[in-house]
Amino acid sequence: MFIKDTQDLEAEVALLESRLQDARAQLAASEYPSPPSSWTVKEQYNNSNNHKFTTSSRTSLHALLLLSDSALPLGSFAYSSGLESYLAHNKSSRKSPIASFHRFLKLSIASIASTSLPYVIAGYREPSTLDTLDNDLDASTPCIVAQRASIAQGRALIGVWERAFRVSFAAPGSRATGDVEAAIVAIDDLSNALKSCLEEDEDLGPKGHFAPLWGVVCRAMGLDLQQTAYVFIMNHAKAVLSAAVRAGVMGPYQAQNVLASQELQDTMMKRIAREWNTPVEEAGQVVPALDLWVGRHELLYSRIFNS
Amino acid sequence: MRKPTAPIPSPFESSIAKPGQGKVVLSLLPPNNPTLTTLTYKYPLKLVPRTGGFVPSPDSSVLSDTRPSNPVHLYLLTYGGGLLPGDHIEVSITLEPKTRMVVTTPQGSTKIFKTTPNNAGTTPNVIKGHRDQMPANIHISDMSQQSLDVKIGRQAALCYLPDPSVPFQHSRYAQVQIFTVDATAKGSDRSSLCVLDWVTQGRTSRGEDWNFHFWRGRNEVWAEDDQGKRRLLLRDSVILDDESGDLDATPVSNEIEVEDGAKDEVEDAAHDRNTALSKPADMPPQAPAGLTPLNIIAERTRPHGVVGTLILSGPVFEALGSFMLKQFQSQPRIGSRNWSDHAASSVPEPSLSHKGDVTWTAARVRAGFVLVKFGAKDFETAKHWLGGLIREEGSVIREFGEEALCCL
């Protein structure tokens, strides 16, 4: 009897939870009519509640997990995106390092969203323009520190795609629709262009910047645009938090706490929604101070990160 | 040096004359005579040329094989010394090969006057001397805009060191400056440009501290070849947006015109409104301390009262670019210690370095561009710092004369 009651209660809790989730998803959807809601991801894969677990959603879930894995060998751990320099420039805030870090995280997400996310989205929507996007992002990156970081991760992404993912996601005979095919061709073209220009060409050749490539690779691997944008920003937040742990700002549990927080989710969603329809020509730096911190990373006497 | 020889058409006859538009073509007539073959402009814009102010000495030029042509100085003016809501300034300048031009704004600063969102179309505007009937769309109508389009031919050079833009409280402003250089020119034949773009927190004397609505400055350099194919070489884009327009696309905001003392309340109100709408109501407030900015633009520019960018490219500014890089790299290391016996155990914090309250960075990006970005506590500090560096290096004054630096 007692056990049965408990089970009933548990079932009720599960039901209420799923209702809460639905309500939140609706709220998020109404708040951002076209742009994304993180909850749709959850909803889509919540296969215990409904039985719509299809092959395509499994493939896309698999790709999503691969691309959001912190073990994805892009070398993101080597970059603090200006955090290290920020800490060095704002020593007065050492009394409250956590508050100071929260400020940085918020600025950093706003900045990556305003400068790079339009390129991610454009790469996803129009993979065939990858070479132009690559050139334009290179032209728009104001300091070599950020440029090096972006190029290194972009080329690493090409490497992972070619050595690991391509064989599974672009296998001959697989059901590659036109768009996915275009994305695969775009990556191949850029990769070939990178290989054929071995520094002997001047500095205006293809570079392999991370943001537009991310959009194209996600397209090739079957993610939808919302997932692509969300994972891009999420990975950035993860990298900054990971850098914060290693820089001694906070402990790993606290970092996970921040990563899981509603605050961070709201910030990310707000920034994605803001840039959803920003054309790349309108992309720009909303945090001018961040350019200065990143650019002055080179002046640090000692440093543990590459940016 | 005499006045430009070609007839200067009356600005009132011009066929392109829409309000605020202006067009300038600088040609080099033989043997070596820089001449403004076109000069038109229309109210509220005013373009005033001056030639003969400065003659570079033949051996001063870095382009030793050709004697540089004398720079023509163009003053860019607007009536009233700034831009009112709805003003749209559109200037197009063509520098034909081997010509040189200095562009300055001799009005102290480019004032961006405030916008009054709600009474724009209906009630009489509070701004005295308002020039235009407002269009219906508020987000276009209340924005001041300025676009500058400069084509720089081979061996030509533009030196554009204007005053900073000073956006007043509640103003909206967007500026696009596009520079096109000759893609076919190589080496010392390349086009040269020096462009400064800077913005301040507003009128500090009236307590303004980044509390305008919107300011965007976009600078692009394109290379164009003889087939007309264009390629983006550099884009520098800064967006300072208080994001007050995000959630109310239709002008239903309850913002009211307030005097300076009450502005904090408005900011608080705006902030509360933003956070209230962007956060589900059932979430506990968990903003950590220090994360409750009064003003989103100030938060993103802190601790600076002025931010800016200097773009240098081409053979004429090569020396200045290298000088800036060297200066940047020779700044004291941040966080280093002085190990000598009789010194204090640590060097001063970076913000107290020998450049005073200027935080800056310089990088050679691509296509030989040198990009200098800076932030300083106020306009005077930035002006003295940048003017000091450019004067110390000296090549701008040798090539263009002291008047090129009249805004610094």
Side-chain angles (χ1 to χ4, degrees):
Chain A
M1 181 64 191
F2 176 73
I3 290 171
K4 189 153 186 293
D5 272 355
T6 314
Q7 279 170 345
D8 283 352
L9 283 172
E10 270 169 3
E12 199 180 350
V13 165
L15 184 71
L16 286 173
E17 264 171 0
S18 81
R19 272 197 200 159
L20 177 65
Q21 223 167 59
D22 286 351
R24 275 195 184 136
Q26 275 169 15
L27 177 70
S30 64
E31 204 171 343
Y32 307 109
S34 46
S37 121
S38 61
W39 308 112
T40 58
V41 176
K42 234 186 242 175
E43 201 179 54
Q44 196 173 336
Y45 300 116
N46 213 340
N47 67 323
S48 57
N49 287 350
N50 53 43
H51 298 281
K52 290 188 292 185
F53 194 69
T54 60
T55 314
S56 80
S57 75
R58 191 190 64 218
T59 316
S60 142
L61 172 63
H62 195 72
L64 184 67
L65 290 173
L66 286 171
L67 288 167
S68 59
D69 189 356
S70 56
L72 190 67
L74 300 182
S76 318
F77 57 85
Y79 307 97
S80 77
S81 307
L83 173 65
E84 189 175 25
S85 181
Y86 167 82
L87 295 172
H89 280 89
N90 294 275
K91 289 191 175 163
S92 54
S93 58
R94 273 196 184 148
K95 280 157 265 163
S96 54
I98 301 295
S100 174
F101 171 77
H102 276 282
R103 173 182 177 230
F104 178 82
L105 182 62
K106 206 161 184 173
L107 294 180
S108 183
I109 290 174
S111 173
I112 193 94
S114 73
T115 55
S116 298
L117 194 56
Y119 286 92
V120 174
I121 293 173
Y124 185 95
R125 286 183 178 146
E126 286 175 74
S128 57
T129 61
L130 181 59
D131 57 340
T132 311
L133 293 172
D134 188 49
N135 174 68
D136 291 4
L137 183 56
D138 194 52
S140 309
T141 308
C143 74
I144 40 177
V145 178
Q147 205 161 28
R148 278 196 300 256
S150 174
I151 291 173
Q153 294 180 73
R155 292 189 179 186
L157 183 60
I158 291 189
V160 177
W161 164 257
E162 286 187 334
R163 293 172 185 203
F165 295 159
R166 197 181 195 289
V167 66
S168 305
F169 286 88
S174 72
R175 34 129 225 125
T177 60
D179 297 333
V180 172
E181 188 63 40
I184 293 166
V185 170
I187 306 169
D188 288 350
D189 286 353
L190 186 68
S191 170
N192 290 335
L194 283 172
K195 279 171 197 153
S196 61
C197 114
L198 293 166
E199 307 295 329
E200 97 282 336
D201 204 0
E202 45 161 323
D203 56 354
L204 289 178
K207 289 285 159 48
H209 277 281
F210 185 58
L213 260 171
W214 179 263
V216 178
V217 168
C218 287
R219 183 86 194 233
M221 292 176 68
L223 265 59
D224 68 34
L225 183 51
Q226 300 180 359
Q227 295 168 336
T228 302
Y230 199 87
V231 176
F232 179 77
I233 302 291
M234 181 74 174
N235 280 358
H236 177 77
K238 275 197 220 168
V240 172
L241 276 157
S242 156
V245 171
R246 283 171 291 146
V249 176
M250 58 174 60
Y253 290 106
Q254 199 164 10
Q256 288 299 314
N257 177 293
V258 174
L259 206 51
S261 67
Q262 188 64 42
E263 168 105 16
L264 180 70
Q265 294 179 38
D266 290 344
T267 304
M268 286 169 37
M269 294 299 291
K270 188 172 172 212
R271 300 330 297 182
I272 294 171
R274 238 185 112 68
E275 308 299 340
W276 194 251
N277 290 313
T278 306
V280 290
E281 299 78 34
E282 305 277 311
Q285 179 60 270
V286 296
V287 189
L290 194 65
D291 276 343
L292 298 175
W293 295 323
V294 174
R296 289 167 66 84
H297 187 266
E298 292 180 77
L299 293 179
L300 299 189
Y301 181 74
S302 59
R303 34 184 197 254
I304 51 179
F305 299 100
N306 288 339
S307 86
Chain B
M1 202 58 209
R2 58 217 161 97
K3 293 282 287 177
T5 48
I8 297 172
S10 161
F12 303 102
E13 290 171 3
S14 166
S15 57
I16 62 153
K18 282 206 290 192
Q21 280 189 340
K23 187 167 189 224
V24 180
V25 176
L26 178 61
S27 315
L28 194 67
L29 300 185
N32 196 7
N33 188 12
T35 305
L36 288 166
T37 47
T38 303
L39 176 68
T40 62
Y41 55 87
K42 187 148 185 191
Y43 180 88
L45 170 73
K46 192 169 181 182
L47 300 171
V48 181
R50 191 164 85 94
T51 52
F54 174 76
V55 180
S57 64
D59 55 333
S60 74
S61 174
V62 291
L63 305 172
S64 51
D65 54 333
T66 54
R67 196 168 81 88
S69 70
N70 301 332
V72 171
H73 193 152
L74 186 74
Y75 297 103
L76 198 74
L77 295 136
T78 48
Y79 285 88
L83 296 170
L84 297 181
D87 276 355
H88 192 165
I89 300 293
E90 213 177 316
V91 180
S92 139
I93 299 175
T94 303
L95 303 185
E96 292 192 347
K98 296 192 180 181
T99 58
R100 293 184 168 196
M101 183 177 273
V102 169
V103 180
T104 58
T105 51
Q107 289 171 314
S109 64
T110 304
K111 301 165 192 68
I112 315 295
F113 291 102
K114 69 182 168 186
T115 292
T116 50
N118 284 329
N119 51 18
T122 52
T123 58
N125 202 291
V126 294
I127 296 169
K128 218 183 196 175
H130 195 269
R131 295 165 182 139
D132 250 330
Q133 194 57 45
M134 292 287 197
N137 184 332
I138 182 157
H139 285 292
I140 294 171
S141 72
D142 64 10
M143 183 98 86
S144 314
Q145 295 179 62
Q146 177 162 327
S147 64
L148 178 66
D149 186 357
V150 189
K151 293 194 169 49
I152 308 168
R154 60 170 53 217
Q155 292 183 28
L158 171 75
C159 183
Y160 178 36
L161 296 168
D163 288 304
S165 160
V166 179
F168 289 7
Q169 189 172 6
H170 299 312
S171 64
R172 287 179 201 276
Y173 176 70
Q175 163 181 300
V176 179
Q177 307 189 122
I178 294 178
F179 306 91
T180 305
V181 300
D182 188 336
T184 59
K186 303 285 176 214
S188 63
D189 283 353
R190 285 176 298 143
S191 323
S192 300
L193 76 151
C194 165
V195 175
L196 173 64
D197 187 10
W198 45 336
V199 56
T200 75
Q201 66 208 127
R203 293 166 296 179
T204 43
S205 59
R206 306 195 60 176
E208 290 179 352
D209 181 21
W210 304 109
N211 35 24
F212 46 87
H213 286 310
F214 184 81
W215 186 93
R216 176 210 296 274
R218 172 144 63 96
N219 301 297
E220 297 179 349
V221 184
W222 293 76
E224 185 173 301
D225 66 13
D226 33 9
Q227 265 96 51
K229 190 161 174 272
R230 289 166 70 81
R231 177 186 187 131
L232 183 65
L233 295 180
L234 186 88
R235 178 181 284 145
D236 169 67
S237 179
V238 170
I239 302 165
L240 303 174
D241 186 349
D242 72 353
E243 303 185 4
S244 60
D246 276 20
L247 299 166
D248 42 24
T250 50
V252 293
S253 86
N254 51 3
E255 276 174 66
I256 40 166
E257 204 48 42
V258 283
E259 289 311 311
D260 289 330
K263 70 179 167 35
D264 289 342
E265 289 165 32
V266 172
E267 281 160 8
D268 285 340
H271 179 247
D272 289 346
R273 189 172 38 132
N274 282 349
T275 47
L277 288 177
S278 62
K279 259 187 205 165
D282 58 336
M283 287 301 148
Q286 45 175 289
L291 246 196
T292 47
L294 292 173
N295 172 338
I296 199 168
I297 301 176
E299 171 70 9
R300 290 171 178 176
T301 44
R302 203 167 83 189
H304 309 302
V306 52
V307 293
T309 306
L310 178 71
I311 300 168
L312 299 169
S313 153
V316 175
F317 300 105
E318 179 58 39
L320 179 59
S322 305
F323 175 80
M324 297 301 271
L325 283 173
K326 205 169 152 226
Q327 289 291 314
F328 172 66
Q329 279 148 11
S330 64
Q331 286 186 88
R333 301 293 108 168
I334 299 161
S336 68
R337 283 174 187 275
N338 189 340
W339 300 107
S340 66
D341 299 335
H342 48 278
S345 63
S346 75
V347 296
E349 296 298 317
S351 61
L352 305 175
S353 72
H354 62 295
K355 293 300 174 198
D357 294 315
V358 179
T359 306
W360 66 292
T361 162
R364 192 178 290 279
V365 281
R366 61 184 214 153
F369 279 89
V370 172
L371 200 58
V372 178
K373 294 203 152 257
F374 59 89
K377 75 175 164 66
D378 56 28
F379 162 61
E380 289 296 323
T381 310
K383 178 177 162 170
H384 286 132
W385 166 78
L386 188 59
L389 280 178
I390 294 178
R391 286 191 174 87
E392 187 184 338
E393 194 275 326
S395 68
V396 170
I397 289 178
R398 279 199 303 280
E399 301 282 339
F400 297 92
E402 177 66 38
E403 65 187 52
L405 287 174
C406 70
C407 298
L408 292 173

